[in-house]
Amino acid sequence: MLIEDGGLNIERPLLAFTKSQLTAYCHEQGIDWFEDHTNADQTYTLRNTVRHLLNSNELPHALRKPRLHHLTEVVAARARRSEELAQSIYSESKISLDPRTGQASITLPETIGSSAMEDASAAATLARKFLRLCSPATEIKLQELDEFVQLLRKDDNLSKGVVDRCQLTGVDVTCVADEGQGRHFKLQRSLPSKKDRLRKQIILHKRQSALAGSEWQLWDNRYWIWIERQGDAPYTEIKARFLEPEDIAMARANIDHRQRKLLDLALSAALGVSRYSLPAIVATRTGQNGNAVERIVVLPTLGWSASGWQRWQAKAENGSTLVGTPNLWDVRFRHVEPQEAEQGEVSSLPERQ
């Protein structure tokens, strides 16, 4: 399965310059300087209040601009050292990510002992890098990663087979000590709560929509999903949500023997309850009694689709849509830091025509 290679970089190139430097440059270049009149109101925002105090020279010397600038430089330098150490260990770790299941396997370098983790900030930064491989969280705060940091900083002299676990940022972390071989970590998406299962649903298509296809949509902050309804399919709604146990039973009851074998083969890649943290594309149609009937039509990360559905990549390879296949779908694992992916390769999100 392909992994998205993209994202946005926010650049703020003027942060290193003072206001006086910027205004002087504008004056030299004949550029009008605009000053928001609300900046002069000390009560307008907390930022305005702080700005006034800094400019008034009424603060103690320890809180004036030169000392604060020095403090920010010290903090920034410390943060850079922690980031460099964390990145070094991350790069040397053996990381295998299976985008089909969203699971990651990590082995720390044998040369990295607990002493390398004495920098708590570096350990937390490393923990965040690992968690970002699997976590549905949009923001991971370093101060919330103490349990994982403790696993990373534990003494290497652990008995073989000792297992430690923790759960944070929507990820189950399992640490297994292998005597003489360091520590191994397995990360996978935690089973979502009932509230999460209801909340993490995205509508891909509605019957009244004038558009046949959907935009790429990010589901559970892990998978980009896209569909296109090619024909006059009798669906009132198509959405992506978490796979449920009853979905599999219903699917098996409505497909032939060959399709069942293909479904079982696809599900074998995600054993046990871990499969219920994966997305299913579900189509709703009106039943004979007028009730809405939901059925899974695609398990996008596992590569299975019901009759009438085809992956867009397959169409792109042979240039045509299969006979009797009016609907297309595609999926990408969201962008993550470089690692060894078990399936597929890195790709950008393509525009669909």
Side-chain angles (χ1 to χ4, degrees), residues 106-253:
I106 301 165
T107 302
L108 294 180
E110 294 182 31
T111 55
I112 299 298
S114 57
S115 59
M117 292 287 98
E118 289 179 358
D119 184 337
S121 178
T125 302
L126 178 63
R128 180 166 63 184
K129 288 177 179 290
F130 288 151
L131 288 168
R132 279 176 172 166
L133 295 170
C134 307
S135 177
T138 55
E139 181 182 10
I140 301 177
K141 297 180 179 179
L142 295 181
Q143 59 268 33
E144 298 175 352
L145 307 182
D146 287 349
E147 289 183 88
F148 197 176
V149 169
Q150 289 175 16
L151 294 182
L152 290 170
R153 301 177 76 182
K154 272 196 171 182
D155 195 318
D156 288 334
N157 298 320
L158 296 174
S159 300
K160 183 177 181 179
V162 171
V163 177
D164 278 312
R165 292 184 174 88
C166 67
Q167 183 183 96
L168 62 172
T169 69
V171 177
D172 291 333
V173 180
T174 303
C175 172
V176 180
D178 189 354
E179 193 171 7
Q181 298 295 322
R183 293 186 303 282
H184 307 278
F185 295 88
K186 180 181 178 182
L187 279 63
Q188 65 181 34
R189 170 66 159 99
S190 304
L191 285 180
S193 64
K194 287 185 177 181
K195 182 179 179 181
D196 262 355
R197 300 188 86 83
L198 292 173
R199 187 167 58 89
K200 297 289 183 74
Q201 299 187 15
I202 56 174
I203 304 300
L204 300 172
H205 177 75
K206 280 185 173 292
R207 174 180 285 176
Q208 60 268 33
S209 172
L211 298 175
S214 70
E215 299 290 335
W216 283 98
Q217 296 193 54
L218 185 60
W219 177 85
D220 197 38
N221 197 39
R222 295 185 296 148
Y223 293 101
W224 289 98
I225 298 176
W226 169 92
I227 67 162
E228 182 175 292
R229 184 179 55 80
Q230 293 271 329
D232 189 23
Y235 302 130
T236 58
E237 182 180 85
I238 303 172
K239 63 185 177 183
R241 61 162 171 78
F242 284 103
L243 177 66
E244 302 282 0
E246 54 268 27
D247 291 331
I248 299 174
M250 183 175 290
R252 289 179 60 82

Side-chain angles (χ1 to χ4, degrees), residues 22-35:
L22 295 175
T23 54
Y25 177 82
C26 288
H27 179 72
E28 292 172 2
Q29 301 297 320
I31 301 172
D32 292 334
W33 176 267
F34 174 79
E35 184 77 32

Side-chain angles (χ1 to χ4, degrees), residues 289-307:
N289 57 1
N291 294 334
V293 178
E294 278 190 358
R295 287 183 183 170
I296 57 168
V297 291
V298 181
L299 296 178
T301 68
L302 301 179
W304 177 85
S305 49
S307 177

